[in-house]
Amino acid sequence: MKKVNKICCIGAGYVGGPTMSVIANQCPEITVTVVDINQERIDRWNDEDLDKLPVYEPGLKEIVASNRGKNLFFSTEVDKAIDEAEIIFISVNTPTKTYGKGKGQAADLKYVELCARNIAKVAKTDKIVVEKSTLPVRTASAIKSILQNTGNGVNFEILSNPEFLAEGTAVEDLLEADRVLIGGDETPSGKEAKDILSSIYEHWLPKERILQTNVWSSELSKLVANAFLAQRVSSINAISALCERTDANISEVSRAIGTDSRIGPKFLNASVGFGGSCFQKDILNLVYISRSFGLQEVGDYWEQVIIMNDYQKRRFAEKIVSTLYNTVSGKKIIFYGWAFKKDTNDTRESAAIYVADALLEEKAEIIVYDPKVTEKTIYADLDYLGTRSPEENRKLLKIATNPIEATKDAHAIAILTEWEEFKTYDWSEIYDKMLKPAFVFDGRRLLFKDEMEQKGFQYYKIGQS
Ligand code: NAD
Ligand code: UGA
């Protein structure tokens, strides 16, 4: 089997950056180059100040610090990296299409296709091309067709190797992966390519955890894994609405059902709704693929997971308005958290964006505090929705750097992200600063109802009456 000396990854985002840093860390004999067309992103990956890395993940900066400049490089020289590498990972974004056929549902594959064309143009020696991005089933055939029609005699093996890391725990998930999935052709050269890729992961993972499949199973399994995870969140969120009407407590229900070993305890935390760059995008993609194969009922079934998630976000915003005497106009509401979950600076599809949008439409004045998300990102998220002008967004929504001071004369606090630091705040001090009655809307089930009520708050918690 061929020994791997050089690999490259196209796309230095939330997947490419952490994944390649861990590979470099675990495989000191392999030179890993991560390339991107976004100069600012690459500059930040190369910044001396490790707090400026473009991706915040616990444990990541330590790994980058110990490998960068040795066998880990970040660069905008895409062609050079492709030319030199034996294995090329494609880890670019695959957002939901915003135009044309499949608009609003299908995955936009233009970035992936550009990568394939670039590889076809530059490669002079045989390469293994790995789909790391999440792609619709049968995308590998499109990549193969682009690569095989170059006429330059180079042989390409296409593998699907989807990533299962979750943000906020990326390093841990990579080091302790439940499984690694490698899909490829069943031909002798396809099998050899799978074994070569497997040998990289075998540096730190037991071989039994590396699953080899055909390429289509691998592509589809990634979409299905996300759909199943998101479905659990929507299922428990549906029940949380019922709990609020019936005196049942969603934590108790989660525990009661999660101890059934056939159900299991994970992904049963009721919340204001799931966010993140992938759950919604991947389910929409699954819905689109199902319907395009004429499987209407299959598409409808999975679409319901998204419908329930939208309902949960809307329900939370409506609860705030109805509790604050049916009007939030001119009322000061503090948002604790903007990221889509704790321990990440990523805000893509965060529930906070949609809750803020609904409240701003009601003319609330919002002040946001998030320990890791920048002001620029928060305004960009709101402006992107296009509901209001950028000027109006900046007039109605402000950013706080001091979460305690921000609560002075506030009518309510809404907890949108489960950052641990919110638990450590002196909530009595916060209560004293706020207008009375002081309301807390806990969309993350972070605090204790009894304690908050003892301090004087009117406290609403998702899934509890
Ligand atoms: P991202 O937007 O953070 O990063 C993608 C990067 O690719 C960007 O920096 C962009 O500039 C770069 N890029 C786009 N086209 C390029 C080109 N032609 N040449 C060079 N660079 C290019 O995206 P991400 O979150 O890292 O996701 C990447 C893929 O991985 C997606 O398909 C996603 O569904 C999948 N995925 C993401 C996660 C996650 O936790 N974010 C987890 C598993 C899988
Ligand atoms: C998810 C999957 O967990 C990863 O396996 C997958 O690789 C990734 O998507 C991807 O393809 O991008 P991620 O979105 O980063 O990872 O984070 P999760 O931990 O799955 O959380 C997603 C959302 O669901 C968050 O908003 C989170 O707060 C919410 N959630 C999660 C709940 O509301 N309740 C839960 O019980 C679990």
Side-chain angles (χ1 to χ4, degrees):
M1 193 171 64
K2 266 189 254 157
K3 202 172 154 292
V4 180
N5 298 304
K6 284 193 175 177
I7 65 177
C8 97
C9 174
I10 309 178
Y14 282 86
V15 168
T19 310
M20 293 301 130
S21 300
V22 166
I23 290 181
N25 191 254
Q26 299 296 318
C27 310
E29 79 286 6
I30 300 178
T31 301
V32 180
T33 306
V34 193
V35 289
D36 204 294
I37 42 175
N38 181 334
Q39 182 73 53
E40 192 214 333
R41 217 168 219 197
I42 291 298
D43 289 346
R44 288 177 65 189
W45 279 112
N46 285 322
D47 205 302
E48 291 278 293
D49 180 354
L50 290 160
D51 288 324
K52 299 225 171 89
L53 295 185
V55 172
Y56 170 73
E57 279 291 340
L60 179 62
K61 67 178 178 184
E62 291 78 5
I63 291 185
V64 171
S66 64
N67 296 278
R68 200 175 54 186
K70 292 181 190 145
N71 68 331
L72 175 65
F73 301 91
F74 295 93
S75 160
T76 50
E77 290 187 87
V78 180
D79 290 1
K80 181 167 179 276
I82 291 173
D83 181 34
E84 291 176 354
E86 293 128 20
I87 303 183
I88 301 161
F89 291 82
I90 300 179
S91 191
V92 299
N93 35 331
T94 48
T96 304
K97 264 186 102 175
T98 53
Y99 55 89
K101 191 162 178 269
K103 179 180 170 182
Q105 283 196 330
D108 191 343
L109 300 180
K110 70 176 172 207
Y111 306 106
V112 171
E113 187 177 330
L114 276 173
C115 289
R117 290 190 186 281
N118 207 18
I119 295 168
K121 186 184 78 189
V122 172
K124 294 191 280 296
T125 51
D126 293 353
K127 313 275 181 204
I128 296 174
V129 177
V130 182
E131 300 175 349
K132 181 59 93 183
S133 298
T134 303
L135 296 168
V137 58
R138 300 208 72 85
T139 304
S141 64
I143 296 182
K144 194 178 264 180
S145 139
I146 292 169
L147 292 174
Q148 280 174 347
N149 285 300
T150 57
N152 60 4
V154 173
N155 184 41
F156 295 101
E157 279 302 326
I158 324 289
L159 300 179
S160 159
N161 173 222
E163 186 46 63
F164 294 101
L165 68 81
E167 290 180 28
T169 51
V171 173
E172 193 186 320
D173 292 344
L174 287 161
L175 289 173
E176 299 291 335
D178 287 341
R179 71 347 200 150
V180 166
L181 192 52
I182 301 178
D185 284 349
E186 299 293 315
T187 57
S189 61
K191 283 187 185 148
E192 192 196 13
K194 286 194 263 192
D195 287 341
I196 292 174
L197 181 56
S198 178
S199 73
I200 294 181
Y201 292 106
E202 283 167 39
H203 279 71
W204 74 96
L205 289 170
K207 210 170 170 176
E208 317 78 80
R209 283 199 222 161
I210 303 168
L211 312 181
Q212 295 195 5
T213 64
N214 80 30
V215 79
W216 323 121
S217 307
S218 173
E219 287 179 339
L220 184 59
S221 300
K222 172 62 199 177
L223 294 183
V224 174
N226 274 355
F228 269 60
L229 290 169
Q231 182 201 42
R232 284 175 70 99
V233 179
S234 274
S235 297
I236 204 72
N237 282 345
I239 302 304
S240 77
L242 203 51
C243 285
E244 288 170 29
R245 299 288 170 87
T246 58
D247 279 350
N249 176 332
I250 195 68
S251 295
E252 293 177 354
V253 174
S254 291
R255 199 172 63 229
I257 63 166
T259 43
D260 183 326
S261 60
R262 294 167 302 174
I263 297 175
K266 293 182 181 165
F267 270 70
L268 290 179
N269 293 324
S271 71
V272 56
F274 61 73
S277 61
C278 293
F279 276 1
Q280 174 160 311
K281 153 176 94 64
D282 293 349
I283 293 176
L284 287 172
N285 193 354
L286 192 61
V287 170
Y288 180 75
I289 293 170
S290 304
R291 288 186 183 150
S292 60
F293 283 105
L295 304 171
Q296 187 65 30
E297 286 79 359
V298 179
D300 292 351
Y301 176 78
W302 288 107
E303 191 174 39
Q304 199 59 36
V305 175
I306 305 283
I307 292 172
M308 184 51 62
N309 197 47
D310 289 341
Y311 166 71
Q312 190 76 345
K313 292 182 273 190
R314 203 170 55 242
R315 200 168 74 77
F316 187 71
E318 282 168 3
K319 179 76 187 177
I320 295 177
V321 177
S322 64
T323 310
L324 295 181
Y325 315 107
N326 288 318
T327 175
V328 289
S329 173
K331 289 184 180 164
K332 186 168 154 183
I333 301 175
I334 314 301
F335 270 35
Y336 277 173
W338 191 264
F340 81 96
K341 63 185 282 200
K342 72 173 178 180
D343 289 337
T344 178
N345 61 345
D346 195 350
T347 64
R348 289 176 287 180
E349 291 300 329
S350 179
I353 302 169
Y354 297 95
V355 175
D357 190 50
L359 296 178
L360 292 175
E361 278 307 273
E362 295 286 337
K363 302 273 178 255
E365 290 176 14
I366 297 179
I367 300 184
V368 180
Y369 168 77
D370 188 290
K372 290 288 175 202
V373 179
T374 62
E375 176 168 339
K376 193 175 155 200
T377 303
I378 294 172
Y379 285 129
D381 288 339
L382 275 179
D383 294 347
Y384 183 76
L385 292 180
T387 318
R388 284 161 303 280
S389 67
E391 295 71 37
E392 211 174 338
N393 283 334
R394 281 150 192 76
K395 203 174 102 202
L396 289 174
L397 184 142
K398 308 277 182 211
I399 315 294
T401 46
N402 184 326
I404 311 298
E405 289 310 314
T407 61
K408 188 168 181 313
D409 294 335
H411 291 77
I413 295 174
I415 301 177
L416 275 309
T417 313
E418 70 280 25
W419 286 105
E420 290 294 319
E421 69 169 66
F422 301 154
K423 291 191 208 162
T424 66
Y425 290 175
D426 182 343
W427 283 90
S428 297
E429 186 190 348
I430 293 172
Y431 179 78
D432 289 343
K433 287 186 185 301
M434 290 175 67
L435 293 180
K436 311 296 176 306
F439 294 90
V440 171
F441 298 91
D442 190 344
R444 290 297 182 163
R445 303 190 49 78
L446 200 65
L447 306 173
F448 293 103
K449 192 172 170 71
D450 292 354
E451 281 177 22
M452 293 300 279
E453 285 177 350
Q454 265 165 24
K455 288 185 170 48
F457 287 104
Q458 306 269 330
Y459 177 75
Y460 161 77
K461 189 170 185 170
I462 284 265
Q464 229 165 306
S465 64

